[in-house]
Amino acid sequence: MKEKLGFIGLGNMGLPMSINLLRADYEVYGYDTNAQAMEQFVAAGGIGLESAKEIAKQCDVIMTSLPTPQIVELVYQSEQGILHHAKKGSLLIDFSTVNPELNDSLHTEAKALGLRYLGAPVSGGVIGAVNATLTIMVGGDTDDYKIAERIFGIVGKNIYHLGTSSSVGTRIKLLNNLMIGFYTEAVAETIVLGEKMGIHADTLYEVLSNSYGQSRIYERNFLEYMKNDNYEPGFSTNLLLKDLKLAKEMADEAGVSLRIGEKLVDLYSEISQQGYGENDMSAAYLSLKETCKIEQL
Ligand code: NAD
């Protein structure tokens, strides 16, 4: 008999991931505080429950894809949370991007309660969640990883078990997102300057795609968002800002000065304050145009 799966956080990432599990013929129970997300999940064949506590009580594997470490803490550690209500032996998998210390403390608490826990942040964006091509960076006990492997194979493509520390995947994920912060601003600055000099963004993209300026983020931000003048996230500026702050904390702790990375925290804070926080991160382009008082195309 297949396990009962629970999924908490049915947002841009969690909804398509849970739909892929439904398509693989799993019984999936879901919960989200947003009624619209719940409707979409139920319309796709999922079974909606009314709280994280209910998911914890009923499911054998409980997955989460939540926006911030604070919300992850609430959903796992509060009195109504997963840790207090999950059945002994249940496997908890957190796909959210959080601070490494949180992975470690949840792992310790889960073990003490007879539960299993894996920190498993993902990369690959909404497209990767929809097409099940996510990269999954997993930290945690090998036995627990083996139980989860089948599920990871359904929602992702490049799966790495990086060690028995539950935070090792998160550390790598935050390094990835530090680079995303650089690239996203680089794409914005390059295109705005090019356009200001009369170079069409399509021409620039074609030439730079065959040059060392090419990057996955250039491809993503330009083709999926900027070219279509569509800034619905995707990956929001505020989520990128959260990850850059976490990367900075990680660097401070390691005693490494992030010469540009530190400035990125201020930069994306400003972009967010300009009103682009809930837009896709590629709106750094709109923000720069606004700052330079350049008319939108
Ligand atoms: P999102 O904001 O689209 O989705 C989060 C969902 O969690 C929302 O539907 C929200 O209603 C729900 N939620 C909030 N509080 C809740 C609670 N207390 N109980 C239940 N549900 C609650 O965010 P997302 O883009 O899907 O990202 C989720 C996580 O994945 C984040 O940690 C993010 O950093 C990470 N991530 C996102 C992307 C991306 O491209 N969007 C890529 C990789 C990793």
Side-chain angles (χ1 to χ4, degrees), residues 276-296:
Y276 297 107
E278 291 306 322
N279 287 126
D280 186 75
M281 62 180 178
S282 51
Y285 167 71
L286 299 183
S287 146
L288 182 57
K289 279 191 149 182
E290 192 181 313
T291 305
C292 300
K293 300 194 170 40
I294 298 172
E295 299 257 310
Q296 304 301 343

Side-chain angles (χ1 to χ4, degrees), residues 8-14 31-34 37 65-68 71 74-75 95-97 122-126 173 220 234-236 239 242-243:
I8 304 172
L10 304 164
N12 287 325
M13 298 299 283
Y31 173 66
D32 195 295
T33 43
N34 180 319
S65 177
L66 295 161
T68 64
I71 292 175
L74 180 83
V75 168
F95 292 118
S96 325
T97 310
V122 301
S123 180
V126 175
K173 166 70 187 173
R220 173 203 184 277
F235 186 52
S236 71
L239 286 182
K242 172 221 23 164
D243 292 348

Side-chain angles (χ1 to χ4, degrees), residues 5 50 56-57 61 102 116 135 166 179 181 184 192 197 199 203 224 228 233 254 261 277:
L5 305 187
E50 62 188 23
K57 281 166 74 175
V61 179
L102 181 55
R116 303 165 182 272
T135 295
S166 60
M179 295 188 91
T184 289
V192 168
M197 297 186 302
I199 299 165
T203 310
E224 287 176 44
N228 300 322

Side-chain angles (χ1 to χ4, degrees), residues 57 151 162 181 191 293 297:
K57 281 166 74 175
I151 290 171
L162 296 156
I191 297 182
K293 300 194 170 40
L297 284 179

Side-chain angles (χ1 to χ4, degrees), residues 86-135:
K87 297 179 281 188
K88 277 221 171 356
S90 298
L91 172 63
L92 320 179
I93 305 173
D94 191 10
F95 292 118
S96 325
T97 310
V98 297
N99 49 313
E101 297 75 18
L102 181 55
N103 291 128
D104 290 334
S105 66
L106 291 176
H107 192 197
T108 306
E109 281 180 63
K111 266 184 152 175
L113 292 162
L115 305 168
R116 303 165 182 272
Y117 171 87
L118 295 169
V122 301
S123 180
V126 175
I127 279 204
V130 171
N131 295 335
T133 54
L134 292 171
T135 295

